[in-house]
Amino acid sequence: YITIHGHNIEAHTEQNIYHKYGSLSQELKILADHGFTKCSQSCTVSLNKIKQIVRDDIILLDGTKLHISRNNISSVLIAYNQQKAIPYN
């Protein structure tokens, strides 16, 4: 998942946290085709790293909990359900 504070971006991977300067909208333009969706004004998440969605929280496979904003709940649920429906090759 990726978080942003001001223009400071943190990209959280399984092994590390990477830092860079930029905007979340620019990152999402690049990552949207790779299964990422915006869950709040300051966070985007990889759909294939989601374990479950409980109310307005995303629980990742590693146990991390991310909040989903009211404005994004519908689009996150749609994207998550569509991603689950796609069979893996």
Side-chain angles (χ1 to χ4, degrees):
Y1 65 98
I2 295 174
T3 58
I4 189 164
H5 307 282
H7 285 281
N8 297 310
I9 295 171
E10 289 185 352
H12 298 255
T13 68
E14 293 175 358
Q15 294 84 20
N16 291 306
I17 299 174
Y18 298 95
H19 300 270
K20 67 182 270 188
Y21 185 85
S23 73
L24 193 60
S25 61
Q26 280 297 100
E27 296 300 311
L28 196 52
K29 285 179 186 176
I30 297 165
L31 297 172
D33 289 339
H34 301 284
F36 279 75
T37 191
K38 184 176 178 180
C39 54
S40 70
Q41 195 68 13
S42 61
C43 185
T44 186
V45 65
S46 173
L47 294 167
N48 65 5
K49 297 297 181 185
I50 297 175
K51 179 178 181 180
Q52 64 184 14
I53 297 175
V54 179
R55 294 191 181 124
D56 58 354
D57 289 319
I58 294 171
I59 311 299
L60 300 181
L61 296 173
D62 69 359
T64 301
K65 186 191 291 188
L66 303 172
H67 179 73
I68 308 170
S69 69
R70 270 183 293 170
N71 292 338
N72 292 302
I73 189 80
S74 295
S75 61
V76 169
L77 288 171
I78 290 168
Y80 177 66
N81 287 325
Q82 287 176 342
Q83 186 266 348
K84 282 185 8 180
I86 299 171
Y88 292 102
N89 291 332

